[in-house]
Amino acid sequence: MIARLVDYTVPDRKGEHIRLITYILDRAEATAEDLARCYHDRWEAEPASIS
């Protein structure tokens, strides 16, 4: 299996270190910044959807 690793830190969270693994290999389809933003948005929205 081939995957892409996106490794970044979150400055507003005291430098929290995040690693994402995705099967979206084409950087033109989704940049590392796009994936990081989507990941953050998902975790911001998900707790609100749990009832």
Side-chain angles (χ1 to χ4, degrees):
M1 220 181 271
I2 297 174
R4 178 177 166 200
L5 174 67
V6 177
D7 190 22
Y8 66 97
T9 56
V10 183
D12 62 338
R13 287 192 176 169
K14 301 177 184 174
E16 179 181 356
H17 190 81
I18 305 286
R19 286 189 177 136
L20 305 175
I21 297 175
T22 183
Y23 297 111
I24 303 171
L25 303 179
D26 185 355
R27 291 184 171 123
E29 186 178 343
T31 65
E33 291 83 9
D34 292 338
L35 294 170
R37 190 175 314 107
C38 288
Y39 180 79
H40 173 77
D41 291 347
R42 174 186 171 207
W43 286 108
E44 290 295 314
E46 194 162 303
S49 66
I50 298 172
S51 308

